Amino acid sequence: MRRKYFGGARRPLCRRDFSLNAIAISLNPASRGLLLDPTNGLSDIERGEVRALTIHSFTNQPVRLLRVLRFAARMGFKLEQRTQEWLELAMERDLHHSITPEDAGGELRALAREEQPSGTLKSWEEHGLMEIVHPVLAKKKPDYEAINQLSKVRDDLMMAGLRPRLATPMLLAILGRLKDREQSSLLGKLGFRAAETDAILSFVEDAEASAKELSGKKLNAPIDAYKFIEKLPVDRLGYLLAETRNSAALSKIKAYLNKWRPLRAGIGTVREELTRIGMPEGPKFDAVVEQMFALQLNGRGKTPEEREKTLRKLSGIKEAPKQKEAKGKEKKAGKSSEKAHDALMKMQGKPKGKPSPAAAAHKPVVKSGKPVAKAKRKK
């Protein structure tokens, strides 16, 4: 998080909860870019440890008992030795029972945004902190199978070039074994607003409605399905990938991620090819590009030659006529000269065919196409 400190950053950094959270970069023009690490947090990161800055860290804010375990699970770190002792001391003094529901709700929100929340949840269970979040959740346990499936979907979405924010479906996965009434009670107790709770609890119904519409006849054409999926929120898309049993909708979503999006990413090539054949940019240009993309979704235009042919047809630009080869011209010229020679021989009463070299040498010059009279031999 970017923060601005006026009057020096050292003191605010030293009041942070853990050393890895007490690192900053100077924005002062005289020292811009200088790394500020007054609590030696980089060394803790190199050692793979989470270290509390003071013995009063958990006393001042008991919610840090939940937070320190979340940080350790996220980073794959262990607790620094003294921090581990302070945590155990705080638990012995029952400081975790003084965590307010609102603070616990804030940690639950933050947990739902984590990439791998399973590790944190198990750590909370091991330390007896799940009951602080909610007794029913501690009794029924989180739905780890749904959580892990959603984490895998998050990775798939990132590989497809999307930036998934799956907080809502992940929160529902954490509470997956609770009944609707229990979920509503838990969210209300942890400080979630009524509108926020309603949006969370109606999320599944809205997602399944989208799946039903996606599998309908109106979206049979790939281009229509593409446009529909393109407008879906990413968290709803992730939930459907992880949970829906609608095979038709699931098939289209997978096609969107694995085939249609890569095709769309290559639309620049189509624009270049259309420009190359001589079409100026404009509304009609864009319309032709979209028509070509729709055909590509149906498996057309896989090769450059096929795309050029299709683009010419869509744009109405005909291919320029090919120039005849030089050999063809020479042959045609040769045939014309032979025809002229045969005509001349016919007028002179001689047989057709090419003249012999000797005859060609004594051949009289013909002017204006008239035959020359034979010279009389002197007696």
Side-chain angles (χ1 to χ4, degrees):
M1 182 183 294
R2 181 175 178 176
R3 297 175 183 268
K4 290 185 178 181
Y5 298 108
F6 299 94
R10 180 179 179 83
R11 184 174 296 177
L13 289 176
C14 291
R15 290 201 299 263
R16 301 301 298 274
D17 46 8
F18 310 110
S19 62
L20 55 76
N21 263 350
I23 303 173
I25 294 177
S26 174
L27 298 179
N28 190 311
S31 60
R32 184 178 296 274
L34 178 66
L35 185 68
L36 305 176
D37 184 16
T39 63
N40 205 20
L42 282 179
S43 296
D44 294 325
I45 293 175
E46 290 175 356
R47 288 193 297 269
E49 294 180 344
V50 181
R51 176 170 60 88
L53 295 182
T54 171
I55 192 173
H56 302 295
S57 291
F58 301 121
T59 306
N60 294 339
Q61 294 188 30
V63 71
R64 289 173 177 171
L65 294 168
L66 294 170
R67 191 176 303 157
V68 70
L69 297 176
R70 178 166 62 84
F71 284 167
R74 177 205 292 176
M75 307 290 290
F77 289 178
K78 62 181 180 179
L79 299 186
E80 184 257 347
Q81 183 178 355
R82 286 191 305 173
T83 303
Q84 179 68 41
E85 294 172 357
W86 294 341
L87 182 141
E88 293 172 357
L89 180 61
M91 295 293 293
E92 289 177 5
R93 296 171 58 188
D94 289 335
L95 290 180
H96 55 292
H97 290 295
S98 61
I99 298 175
T100 65
E102 291 76 13
D103 286 342
E107 279 300 307
L108 187 61
R109 281 191 182 91
L111 177 63
R113 293 192 292 267
E114 295 282 346
E115 293 184 5
Q116 300 289 341
S118 295
T120 301
L121 289 167
K122 291 177 180 178
S123 184
W124 286 358
E125 285 190 81
E126 291 172 3
H127 290 81
L129 293 172
M130 191 67 76
E131 188 175 351
I132 303 303
V133 179
H134 200 276
V136 178
L137 183 61
K139 182 179 179 180
K140 293 191 174 182
K141 310 291 184 184
D143 190 348
Y144 287 108
E145 184 178 352
I147 293 170
N148 293 333
Q149 179 64 23
L150 203 55
S151 297
K152 182 179 180 299
V153 166
R154 185 197 300 271
D155 295 337
D156 294 340
L157 291 174
M158 292 185 68
M159 289 292 293
L162 297 173
R163 298 185 64 184
R165 300 182 184 276
L166 306 181
T168 299
M170 187 62 77
L171 182 59
L172 289 170
I174 294 171
L175 308 179
R177 294 182 177 176
L178 278 64
K179 297 178 181 179
D180 292 347
R181 184 178 58 185
E182 293 171 336
Q183 291 180 358
S184 178
S185 172
L186 181 148
L187 295 174
K189 180 182 177 182
L190 296 181
F192 286 75
R193 297 186 300 274
E196 190 178 6
T197 300
D198 292 340
I200 293 171
L201 296 179
S202 63
F203 179 86
V204 174
E205 184 179 352
D206 295 340
E208 291 299 339
S210 298
K212 185 177 180 180
E213 186 175 356
L214 183 57
S215 60
K217 294 182 179 179
K218 291 183 179 180
L219 300 179
N220 274 344
I223 186 62
D224 295 331
Y226 172 86
K227 291 179 179 179
F228 180 82
I229 297 173
E230 188 76 3
K231 295 178 181 178
L232 280 181
V234 180
D235 58 351
R236 193 177 301 182
L237 199 64
Y239 173 82
L240 291 176
L241 278 171
E243 296 294 338
T244 188
R245 296 181 180 179
N246 189 325
S247 58
L250 187 60
S251 176
K252 290 179 180 179
I253 293 173
K254 289 182 177 180
Y256 168 80
L257 295 175
N258 301 324
K259 297 179 181 179
W260 299 347
R261 275 183 61 84
L263 279 175
R264 190 66 184 182
I267 203 69
T269 303
V270 175
R271 299 182 70 89
E272 291 175 1
E273 292 172 342
L274 189 55
T275 302
R276 195 180 302 126
I277 66 175
M279 188 172 190
E281 292 193 11
K284 187 178 179 181
F285 181 96
D286 296 335
V288 171
V289 170
E290 292 302 321
Q291 291 172 12
M292 186 69 231
F293 176 62
L295 292 173
Q296 285 182 309
L297 294 182
N298 288 318
R300 302 274 299 278
K302 293 183 178 180
T303 64
E305 294 78 11
E306 187 180 355
R307 284 197 301 272
E308 181 179 348
K309 183 178 179 181
T310 306
L311 287 172
R312 288 187 180 279
K313 184 177 180 181
L314 293 173
S315 62
I317 300 175
K318 296 182 179 180
E319 189 175 0
K322 295 182 179 179
Q323 295 182 353
K324 296 181 180 179
E325 297 180 357
K327 287 185 178 181
K329 290 183 178 180
E330 291 177 0
K331 288 182 179 180
K332 189 173 181 180
K335 289 182 179 180
S336 299
S337 62
E338 288 181 8
K339 288 182 180 179
H341 178 266
D342 292 342
L344 179 61
M345 292 298 102
K346 186 176 181 181
M347 293 175 66
Q348 294 178 353
K350 294 183 179 181
K352 296 180 180 180
K354 293 183 179 180
S356 62
H362 297 285
K363 183 178 177 181
V365 179
V366 180
K367 294 183 179 180
S368 67
K370 295 181 180 180
V372 180
K374 295 181 180 179
K376 293 183 179 180
R377 185 182 296 177
K378 293 182 180 181
K379 293 182 180 179

